[in-house]
Amino acid sequence: MGFSTDAIHAGQHPDPSTNAIIPPIHLTTTFYQEEIGKHKGYVYTRSANPTRDILQKNIAALEKGSYALAFSSGVSAIHALTSTLKAGDHIIVSEDIYGGTFRLFEQVMKNFELSFTFVDSTKVENVEAAVRSETKLVFIETPTNPLLLISDIKAIAEICKEKNLILAVDNTFMTPYFQNPLELGADVVIHSATKYLGGHSDLLGGVLVFNSDELLNKLSFVQKSIGSVLSPFDSWLLLRSVKTLAVRMDRHNYNASKIADFLLNNNSIKKVYYPGLSSHPQYELAKKQMRGFGGIISFELHDFKQVKKFLTNLKIFTLAESLGGVESLVCHPATMTHASIPKERREKLGISDNLVRLSVGIEDLEDLILDIEQALK
Ligand code: P1T
Protein backbone atom coordinates (compact mmCIF):
# COMPACT_ATOMS: atom_id res chain seq x y z
CA MET A 1 0.00 0.00 0.00
CA GLY A 2 1.06 3.60 -0.48
CA PHE A 3 2.11 5.71 2.49
CA SER A 4 -1.12 7.66 2.94
CA THR A 5 -3.30 4.58 2.47
CA ASP A 6 -1.39 2.93 5.30
CA ALA A 7 -1.43 6.11 7.38
CA ILE A 8 -5.23 6.19 7.15
CA HIS A 9 -5.99 2.46 7.37
CA ALA A 10 -3.15 0.34 8.79
CA GLY A 11 -4.08 -1.33 12.07
CA GLN A 12 -7.62 0.03 11.91
CA HIS A 13 -10.92 -1.73 11.27
CA PRO A 14 -14.49 -0.73 12.04
CA ASP A 15 -14.99 -1.35 15.77
CA PRO A 16 -16.55 -4.85 16.02
CA SER A 17 -18.97 -3.88 18.82
CA THR A 18 -20.58 -0.91 16.97
CA ASN A 19 -19.09 -0.73 13.44
CA ALA A 20 -17.73 2.73 14.31
CA ILE A 21 -15.25 3.75 11.59
CA ILE A 22 -12.98 5.58 14.01
CA PRO A 23 -11.44 3.43 16.75
CA PRO A 24 -12.77 4.31 20.19
CA ILE A 25 -10.61 5.77 22.96
CA HIS A 26 -10.47 2.91 25.44
CA LEU A 27 -10.39 5.05 28.57
CA THR A 28 -10.08 2.17 30.97
CA THR A 29 -7.21 1.16 33.20
CA THR A 30 -8.37 -2.41 33.70
CA PHE A 31 -10.25 -5.24 31.99
CA TYR A 32 -12.71 -7.90 33.16
CA GLN A 33 -11.39 -11.46 33.50
CA GLU A 34 -14.09 -14.10 33.13
CA GLU A 35 -12.06 -16.45 35.30
CA ILE A 36 -8.44 -16.51 36.41
CA GLY A 37 -6.28 -15.96 33.33
CA LYS A 38 -9.27 -15.85 30.93
CA HIS A 39 -9.39 -12.50 29.13
CA LYS A 40 -9.18 -10.95 25.66
CA GLY A 41 -5.47 -10.10 25.73
CA TYR A 42 -5.88 -7.01 27.88
CA VAL A 43 -5.54 -6.98 31.66
CA TYR A 44 -4.19 -3.56 32.66
CA THR A 45 -3.52 -0.46 30.54
CA ARG A 46 0.11 -0.10 31.64
CA SER A 47 0.77 -3.46 29.92
CA ALA A 48 -1.51 -3.01 26.90
CA ASN A 49 -4.47 -0.92 25.81
CA PRO A 50 -6.57 -1.47 22.64
CA THR A 51 -6.31 2.16 21.44
CA ARG A 52 -2.54 2.16 21.97
CA ASP A 53 -2.30 -1.19 20.17
CA ILE A 54 -4.05 0.21 17.08
CA LEU A 55 -1.70 3.20 17.04
CA GLN A 56 1.34 0.95 17.43
CA LYS A 57 0.27 -1.25 14.50
CA ASN A 58 -0.27 1.86 12.40
CA ILE A 59 3.14 3.39 13.08
CA ALA A 60 4.92 0.03 12.69
CA ALA A 61 3.41 -0.22 9.18
CA LEU A 62 4.55 3.30 8.25
CA GLU A 63 8.11 2.65 9.47
CA LYS A 64 8.16 -0.75 7.69
CA GLY A 65 8.74 -2.50 11.02
CA SER A 66 7.16 -5.52 12.68
CA TYR A 67 6.50 -3.86 16.05
CA ALA A 68 6.04 -0.40 17.56
CA LEU A 69 5.73 0.63 21.20
CA ALA A 70 4.29 4.01 22.16
CA PHE A 71 5.71 5.90 25.14
CA SER A 72 4.75 8.97 27.15
CA SER A 73 7.43 11.11 25.42
CA GLY A 74 10.38 10.90 23.07
CA VAL A 75 12.90 10.88 25.91
CA SER A 76 10.95 8.16 27.74
CA ALA A 77 11.22 6.00 24.59
CA ILE A 78 14.99 6.59 24.55
CA HIS A 79 15.15 5.91 28.29
CA ALA A 80 13.38 2.57 27.79
CA LEU A 81 15.81 1.62 25.02
CA THR A 82 18.87 2.35 27.19
CA SER A 83 17.18 0.57 30.12
CA THR A 84 17.49 -2.72 28.21
CA LEU A 85 21.28 -2.41 28.75
CA LYS A 86 23.30 -3.29 31.85
CA ALA A 87 25.83 -1.48 34.04
CA GLY A 88 29.19 -1.53 32.27
CA ASP A 89 27.72 -1.37 28.75
CA HIS A 90 28.97 1.30 26.36
CA ILE A 91 26.99 3.37 23.86
CA ILE A 92 28.24 5.38 20.87
CA VAL A 93 26.18 8.52 20.22
CA SER A 94 26.10 11.24 17.53
CA GLU A 95 27.74 14.29 19.10
CA ASP A 96 25.21 16.75 17.64
CA ILE A 97 21.99 15.63 19.28
CA TYR A 98 18.84 16.98 20.98
CA GLY A 99 19.85 18.57 24.32
CA GLY A 100 17.36 16.47 26.30
CA THR A 101 18.81 13.23 24.92
CA PHE A 102 22.30 14.45 25.84
CA ARG A 103 21.05 15.28 29.37
CA LEU A 104 19.40 11.86 29.76
CA PHE A 105 22.64 10.11 28.80
CA GLU A 106 25.12 12.38 30.60
CA GLN A 107 23.22 13.24 33.75
CA VAL A 108 20.92 10.26 34.33
CA MET A 109 22.04 7.08 32.59
CA LYS A 110 25.72 7.64 33.46
CA ASN A 111 24.73 7.24 37.13
CA PHE A 112 23.71 3.68 36.28
CA GLU A 113 27.21 2.95 35.00
CA LEU A 114 26.46 3.11 31.32
CA SER A 115 29.21 4.92 29.44
CA PHE A 116 28.85 7.08 26.35
CA THR A 117 31.23 8.16 23.60
CA PHE A 118 30.02 11.07 21.50
CA VAL A 119 31.36 11.04 17.95
CA ASP A 120 30.92 12.96 14.73
CA SER A 121 28.82 10.21 13.14
CA THR A 122 28.81 11.94 9.73
CA LYS A 123 32.16 10.14 9.36
CA VAL A 124 31.50 6.41 9.48
CA GLU A 125 35.11 5.70 10.50
CA ASN A 126 34.56 7.65 13.76
CA VAL A 127 31.78 5.24 14.71
CA GLU A 128 33.94 2.23 13.91
CA ALA A 129 36.93 3.62 15.85
CA ALA A 130 34.81 4.16 18.97
CA VAL A 131 33.67 0.51 19.21
CA ARG A 132 34.93 -1.31 22.34
CA SER A 133 34.33 -4.79 23.65
CA GLU A 134 31.63 -3.36 26.01
CA THR A 135 29.81 -1.47 23.22
CA LYS A 136 26.20 -2.59 22.82
CA LEU A 137 24.37 0.26 21.14
CA VAL A 138 25.01 2.91 18.48
CA PHE A 139 22.56 5.80 18.75
CA ILE A 140 22.40 8.33 15.93
CA GLU A 141 20.20 11.24 15.01
CA THR A 142 20.01 11.95 11.30
CA PRO A 143 19.40 14.73 10.46
CA THR A 144 20.70 16.01 13.79
CA ASN A 145 19.08 18.56 16.04
CA PRO A 146 19.94 21.43 15.59
CA LEU A 147 22.67 21.37 12.91
CA LEU A 148 20.92 19.05 10.41
CA LEU A 149 24.00 16.86 9.93
CA ILE A 150 23.41 13.60 8.06
CA SER A 151 24.91 10.21 8.93
CA ASP A 152 25.05 7.30 6.52
CA ILE A 153 22.55 4.86 8.05
CA LYS A 154 23.38 2.00 5.69
CA ALA A 155 27.15 2.24 6.20
CA ILE A 156 26.80 2.49 10.00
CA ALA A 157 24.33 -0.42 9.97
CA GLU A 158 26.93 -2.57 8.20
CA ILE A 159 29.47 -1.87 10.96
CA CYS A 160 26.86 -2.61 13.61
CA LYS A 161 25.94 -5.94 11.96
CA GLU A 162 29.60 -6.92 11.77
CA LYS A 163 30.26 -6.04 15.43
CA ASN A 164 26.90 -7.32 16.71
CA LEU A 165 25.69 -3.91 17.94
CA ILE A 166 22.19 -2.51 17.96
CA LEU A 167 21.77 0.54 15.72
CA ALA A 168 19.10 3.00 16.85
CA VAL A 169 18.17 5.95 14.64
CA ASP A 170 16.22 8.96 15.88
CA ASN A 171 14.04 9.66 12.85
CA THR A 172 12.06 12.52 14.42
CA PHE A 173 13.08 15.16 11.85
CA MET A 174 12.33 13.03 8.78
CA THR A 175 9.33 10.94 9.90
CA PRO A 176 8.62 7.66 8.09
CA TYR A 177 7.31 9.71 5.16
CA PHE A 178 10.82 10.84 4.21
CA GLN A 179 13.11 8.18 5.66
CA ASN A 180 12.85 4.53 6.76
CA PRO A 181 15.96 3.61 8.78
CA LEU A 182 14.88 -0.04 9.28
CA GLU A 183 14.99 -0.55 5.51
CA LEU A 184 18.54 0.83 5.53
CA GLY A 185 19.62 -1.74 8.13
CA ALA A 186 18.92 -0.01 11.47
CA ASP A 187 17.51 -2.13 14.31
CA VAL A 188 15.41 0.48 16.12
CA VAL A 189 13.73 3.69 14.98
CA ILE A 190 12.94 6.38 17.54
CA HIS A 191 10.39 9.15 17.23
CA SER A 192 9.54 12.04 19.39
CA ALA A 193 5.87 11.77 18.37
CA THR A 194 5.46 15.18 19.98
CA LYS A 195 6.84 16.62 16.72
CA TYR A 196 5.70 15.84 13.16
CA LEU A 197 3.78 12.64 13.95
CA GLY A 198 1.55 14.58 16.35
CA GLY A 199 1.92 17.66 14.18
CA HIS A 200 -0.30 20.05 16.15
CA SER A 201 1.77 20.79 19.28
CA ASP A 202 -0.92 19.32 21.50
CA LEU A 203 0.44 15.94 22.57
CA LEU A 204 3.64 14.55 24.05
CA GLY A 205 4.65 11.07 22.91
CA GLY A 206 7.45 8.80 21.80
CA VAL A 207 7.65 5.66 19.66
CA LEU A 208 10.15 2.86 19.14
CA VAL A 209 9.83 0.70 16.00
CA PHE A 210 11.81 -2.51 15.39
CA ASN A 211 11.68 -6.00 13.88
CA SER A 212 13.24 -8.29 16.47
CA ASP A 213 11.14 -10.53 18.74
CA GLU A 214 13.93 -10.39 21.31
CA LEU A 215 13.72 -6.59 21.40
CA LEU A 216 9.94 -6.81 21.68
CA ASN A 217 10.25 -8.98 24.78
CA LYS A 218 12.90 -6.76 26.36
CA LEU A 219 11.28 -3.43 25.54
CA SER A 220 7.72 -4.47 26.47
CA PHE A 221 9.05 -5.76 29.79
CA VAL A 222 10.95 -2.52 30.47
CA GLN A 223 7.97 -0.41 29.42
CA LYS A 224 5.47 -2.11 31.67
CA SER A 225 7.99 -2.13 34.53
CA ILE A 226 8.83 1.57 34.19
CA GLY A 227 5.28 2.57 33.25
CA SER A 228 6.18 5.11 30.57
CA VAL A 229 3.18 4.40 28.33
CA LEU A 230 1.25 6.69 26.00
CA SER A 231 -2.22 7.33 27.44
CA PRO A 232 -5.31 6.06 25.56
CA PHE A 233 -6.37 9.63 24.80
CA ASP A 234 -2.97 10.66 23.43
CA SER A 235 -2.79 7.39 21.47
CA TRP A 236 -6.07 8.26 19.80
CA LEU A 237 -5.00 11.85 19.12
CA LEU A 238 -1.76 10.63 17.57
CA LEU A 239 -3.59 8.06 15.44
CA ARG A 240 -5.78 10.86 14.11
CA SER A 241 -2.79 13.13 13.46
CA VAL A 242 -0.80 10.54 11.52
CA LYS A 243 -3.56 10.31 8.89
CA THR A 244 -2.48 13.71 7.50
CA LEU A 245 1.27 13.20 7.91
CA ALA A 246 2.05 12.99 4.17
CA VAL A 247 0.22 16.17 3.20
CA ARG A 248 1.69 18.05 6.13
CA MET A 249 5.25 16.86 5.44
CA ASP A 250 5.01 17.80 1.75
CA ARG A 251 4.02 21.32 2.74
CA HIS A 252 6.66 21.61 5.52
CA ASN A 253 9.25 20.45 3.01
CA TYR A 254 8.10 22.84 0.28
CA ASN A 255 7.96 25.87 2.57
CA ALA A 256 11.31 25.08 4.22
CA SER A 257 13.09 24.53 0.88
CA LYS A 258 11.95 27.94 -0.36
CA ILE A 259 12.85 29.64 2.93
CA ALA A 260 16.30 28.01 2.94
CA ASP A 261 16.92 29.46 -0.54
CA PHE A 262 15.72 32.85 0.64
CA LEU A 263 18.04 32.78 3.68
CA LEU A 264 20.99 31.66 1.58
CA ASN A 265 20.65 34.75 -0.56
CA ASN A 266 20.31 37.22 2.32
CA ASN A 267 23.36 39.24 3.44
CA SER A 268 22.26 39.35 7.09
CA ILE A 269 22.72 35.58 7.31
CA LYS A 270 26.16 34.14 7.98
CA LYS A 271 25.45 30.45 7.41
CA VAL A 272 22.42 28.29 6.59
CA TYR A 273 22.00 24.65 7.65
CA TYR A 274 19.43 22.73 5.57
CA PRO A 275 20.00 19.30 3.99
CA GLY A 276 18.17 20.31 0.81
CA LEU A 277 20.79 22.93 -0.09
CA SER A 278 23.43 21.73 -2.54
CA SER A 279 25.99 23.49 -0.28
CA HIS A 280 25.12 21.13 2.61
CA PRO A 281 28.17 18.91 3.30
CA GLN A 282 26.11 15.70 3.08
CA TYR A 283 23.71 16.80 0.33
CA GLU A 284 24.43 13.76 -1.89
CA LEU A 285 23.91 11.36 1.02
CA ALA A 286 20.73 13.20 2.00
CA LYS A 287 19.34 12.72 -1.51
CA LYS A 288 20.24 9.04 -1.37
CA GLN A 289 18.72 8.05 1.97
CA MET A 290 15.90 10.59 2.34
CA ARG A 291 12.86 11.33 0.14
CA GLY A 292 12.61 14.95 1.31
CA PHE A 293 14.57 17.37 3.45
CA GLY A 294 12.02 18.26 6.12
CA GLY A 295 10.87 21.46 7.74
CA ILE A 296 13.75 22.40 10.05
CA ILE A 297 16.31 25.05 9.10
CA SER A 298 19.05 26.42 11.31
CA PHE A 299 21.07 29.51 10.51
CA GLU A 300 23.64 31.79 12.02
CA LEU A 301 23.38 35.53 12.27
CA HIS A 302 26.43 37.76 12.70
CA ASP A 303 26.03 38.70 16.37
CA PHE A 304 23.89 38.03 19.42
CA LYS A 305 22.34 41.52 19.46
CA GLN A 306 21.01 40.84 15.97
CA VAL A 307 19.67 37.45 17.14
CA LYS A 308 17.74 39.01 20.04
CA LYS A 309 16.22 41.66 17.79
CA PHE A 310 15.31 39.13 15.12
CA LEU A 311 13.56 36.85 17.63
CA THR A 312 11.44 39.65 19.08
CA ASN A 313 10.60 41.19 15.69
CA LEU A 314 9.09 38.01 14.24
CA LYS A 315 5.31 38.06 14.12
CA ILE A 316 4.24 34.68 12.70
CA PHE A 317 7.21 32.55 13.80
CA THR A 318 6.71 32.22 17.56
CA LEU A 319 9.62 31.94 19.98
CA ALA A 320 9.09 28.55 21.63
CA GLU A 321 10.70 25.17 22.21
CA SER A 322 9.61 22.17 20.12
CA LEU A 323 9.08 21.72 16.40
CA GLY A 324 7.05 19.84 13.84
CA GLY A 325 3.68 21.48 14.42
CA VAL A 326 1.58 23.08 11.70
CA GLU A 327 2.48 26.50 13.13
CA SER A 328 5.91 28.01 12.52
CA LEU A 329 8.18 28.25 15.56
CA VAL A 330 11.58 29.77 16.13
CA CYS A 331 14.03 28.65 18.78
CA HIS A 332 17.37 29.78 20.19
CA PRO A 333 19.07 26.41 20.79
CA ALA A 334 21.89 27.72 23.00
CA THR A 335 19.50 28.98 25.68
CA MET A 336 16.51 26.73 25.00
CA THR A 337 16.58 23.18 23.57
CA HIS A 338 20.35 22.70 23.96
CA ALA A 339 20.92 24.67 27.19
CA SER A 340 21.82 21.49 29.07
CA ILE A 341 24.89 21.01 26.87
CA PRO A 342 27.87 22.82 28.46
CA LYS A 343 28.75 26.06 26.62
CA GLU A 344 32.25 24.95 25.69
CA ARG A 345 30.95 21.72 24.16
CA ARG A 346 28.15 23.55 22.37
CA GLU A 347 30.55 26.00 20.79
CA LYS A 348 32.89 23.24 19.72
CA LEU A 349 29.97 21.57 17.94
CA GLY A 350 28.89 24.79 16.25
CA ILE A 351 25.79 25.51 18.37
CA SER A 352 26.83 29.11 18.91
CA ASP A 353 24.86 31.88 20.63
CA ASN A 354 24.20 33.27 17.13
CA LEU A 355 22.42 30.11 15.95
CA VAL A 356 18.67 30.27 15.30
CA ARG A 357 16.45 27.27 14.50
CA LEU A 358 13.23 27.52 12.51
CA SER A 359 10.49 24.93 12.54
CA VAL A 360 8.78 25.93 9.32
CA GLY A 361 5.03 25.37 9.55
CA ILE A 362 2.44 24.93 6.84
CA GLU A 363 1.17 28.51 6.70
CA ASP A 364 1.26 30.42 3.39
CA LEU A 365 4.86 30.64 2.18
CA GLU A 366 4.60 34.32 1.18
CA ASP A 367 3.56 35.29 4.72
CA LEU A 368 6.44 33.35 6.25
CA ILE A 369 9.04 34.91 3.96
CA LEU A 370 7.66 38.40 4.55
CA ASP A 371 7.81 37.78 8.29
CA ILE A 372 11.48 36.75 8.17
CA GLU A 373 12.29 39.62 5.83
CA GLN A 374 10.76 42.29 8.07
CA ALA A 375 12.35 40.81 11.22
CA LEU A 376 15.78 40.81 9.58
CA LYS A 377 15.35 44.43 8.52
O1 P1T B 1 10.18 16.09 23.87
P1 P1T B 1 10.11 14.60 23.71
O2 P1T B 1 8.85 14.10 23.12
O3 P1T B 1 10.50 13.88 24.96
O4 P1T B 1 11.21 14.21 22.59
C1 P1T B 1 12.57 14.29 22.79
C2 P1T B 1 13.28 14.44 21.48
C3 P1T B 1 13.89 13.34 20.91
N1 P1T B 1 14.53 13.41 19.71
C4 P1T B 1 14.60 14.56 19.04
C5 P1T B 1 15.31 14.60 17.73
C6 P1T B 1 13.98 15.72 19.54
O5 P1T B 1 14.06 16.84 18.82
C7 P1T B 1 13.31 15.67 20.80
C8 P1T B 1 12.67 16.85 21.41
N2 P1T B 1 13.07 18.08 20.85
C9 P1T B 1 12.63 19.32 21.26
C10 P1T B 1 11.73 19.50 22.24
C11 P1T B 1 13.17 20.45 20.50
O6 P1T B 1 12.60 21.58 20.55
O7 P1T B 1 14.19 20.29 19.84
Side-chain angles (χ1 to χ4, degrees):
M1 292 284 177
F3 186 91
S4 283
T5 310
D6 275 341
I8 292 163
H9 296 287
Q12 298 169 71
H13 307 284
D15 180 51
S17 61
T18 60
N19 282 1
I21 293 291
I22 299 302
I25 312 174
H26 288 276
L27 277 178
T28 182
T29 53
T30 192
F31 300 82
Y32 165 57
Q33 303 190 19
E34 292 151 58
E35 56 182 80
I36 293 174
K38 193 171 175 200
H39 52 74
K40 297 189 171 174
Y42 297 100
V43 292
Y44 190 58
T45 278
R46 175 152 44 73
S47 309
N49 174 278
T51 313
R52 196 165 76 237
D53 264 2
I54 294 168
L55 167 77
Q56 292 175 163
K57 287 198 176 93
N58 182 268
I59 295 188
L62 299 183
E63 269 297 3
K64 319 284 183 206
S66 307
Y67 309 109
L69 291 174
F71 293 82
S72 50
S73 68
V75 288
S76 71
I78 299 168
H79 175 240
L81 178 64
T82 45
S83 299
T84 60
L85 303 179
K86 291 196 168 58
D89 288 347
H90 172 246
I91 303 162
I92 299 168
V93 188
S94 301
E95 61 182 5
D96 184 42
I97 199 162
Y98 167 56
T101 306
F102 178 81
R103 180 178 54 205
L104 170 69
F105 291 165
E106 276 290 300
Q107 294 179 356
V108 181
M109 300 315 285
K110 259 194 175 174
N111 298 334
F112 295 86
E113 289 177 35
L114 292 178
S115 63
F116 298 87
T117 301
F118 294 87
V119 300
D120 173 0
S121 58
T122 64
K123 298 194 173 59
V124 180
E125 58 273 23
N126 292 344
V127 176
E128 189 158 25
V131 177
R132 301 186 205 154
S133 55
E134 319 85 79
T135 310
K136 293 282 153 48
L137 175 69
V138 174
F139 183 104
I140 61 171
E141 257 180 31
T142 182
T144 58
N145 181 358
L147 295 175
L148 288 313
L149 302 174
I150 312 285
S151 295
D152 188 332
I153 299 173
K154 204 167 171 202
I156 296 175
E158 275 163 22
I159 294 170
C160 290
K161 289 269 162 334
E162 196 190 305
K163 313 255 182 201
N164 204 19
L165 311 175
I166 290 174
L167 174 61
V169 178
D170 188 325
N171 199 26
T172 298
F173 275 25
M174 279 298 100
T175 82
Y177 184 60
F178 285 143
Q179 178 170 272
N180 295 112
L182 296 181
E183 290 199 322
L184 297 169
D187 301 293
V188 184
V189 171
I190 296 148
H191 284 284
S192 167
T194 316
K195 315 301 177 209
Y196 290 107
L197 298 185
H200 298 72
S201 305
D202 54 8
L203 73 91
L204 202 63
V207 185
L208 298 179
V209 191
F210 43 90
N211 286 316
S212 135
D213 290 339
E214 191 189 339
L215 271 176
L216 178 68
N217 289 336
K218 281 188 185 173
L219 287 165
S220 310
F221 178 77
V222 163
Q223 187 183 35
K224 89 172 166 192
S225 304
I226 292 175
S228 50
V229 292
L230 194 66
S231 74
F233 180 72
D234 284 336
S235 298
W236 182 88
L237 207 50
L238 186 52
L239 192 61
R240 189 186 71 156
S241 301
V242 166
K243 291 180 203 284
T244 55
L245 184 63
V247 284
R248 286 188 282 109
M249 289 315 291
D250 278 336
R251 180 68 169 258
H252 283 295
N253 186 64
Y254 174 78
N255 281 357
S257 305
K258 299 286 181 198
I259 290 174
D261 285 340
F262 169 80
L263 293 169
L264 198 64
N265 295 315
N266 192 300
N267 292 337
S268 315
I269 311 284
K270 196 168 150 199
K271 189 166 179 192
V272 185
Y273 301 84
Y274 185 67
L277 293 173
S278 57
S279 56
H280 186 284
Q282 293 96 36
Y283 177 62
E284 291 306 321
L285 173 61
K287 280 197 298 186
K288 209 169 83 182
Q289 72 181 15
M290 291 143 54
R291 294 179 291 273
F293 304 109
I296 308 298
I297 306 170
S298 291
F299 60 92
E300 253 178 61
L301 291 168
H302 290 284
D303 62 62
F304 189 53
K305 231 174 83 189
Q306 194 191 6
V307 169
K308 278 173 87 172
K309 261 194 155 166
F310 175 71
L311 295 178
T312 46
N313 284 347
L314 285 165
K315 293 189 168 62
I316 299 174
F317 282 87
T318 309
L319 182 62
E321 304 222 3
S322 206
L323 57 97
V326 291
E327 68 290 314
S328 290
L329 298 180
V330 62
C331 153
H332 183 240
T335 56
M336 296 166 72
T337 51
H338 292 70
S340 49
I341 300 178
K343 188 173 169 67
E344 202 176 288
R345 186 186 183 93
R346 244 192 284 121
E347 286 184 347
K348 200 171 135 241
L349 294 174
I351 309 172
S352 78
D353 287 351
N354 300 335
L355 188 78
V356 172
R357 188 189 74 188
L358 299 180
S359 172
V360 178
I362 65 170
E363 299 96 336
D364 294 292
L365 176 64
E366 299 70 24
D367 293 333
L368 297 180
I369 289 184
L370 282 174
D371 192 29
I372 295 171
E373 203 169 27
Q374 66 78 26
L376 284 174
K377 271 189 195 146

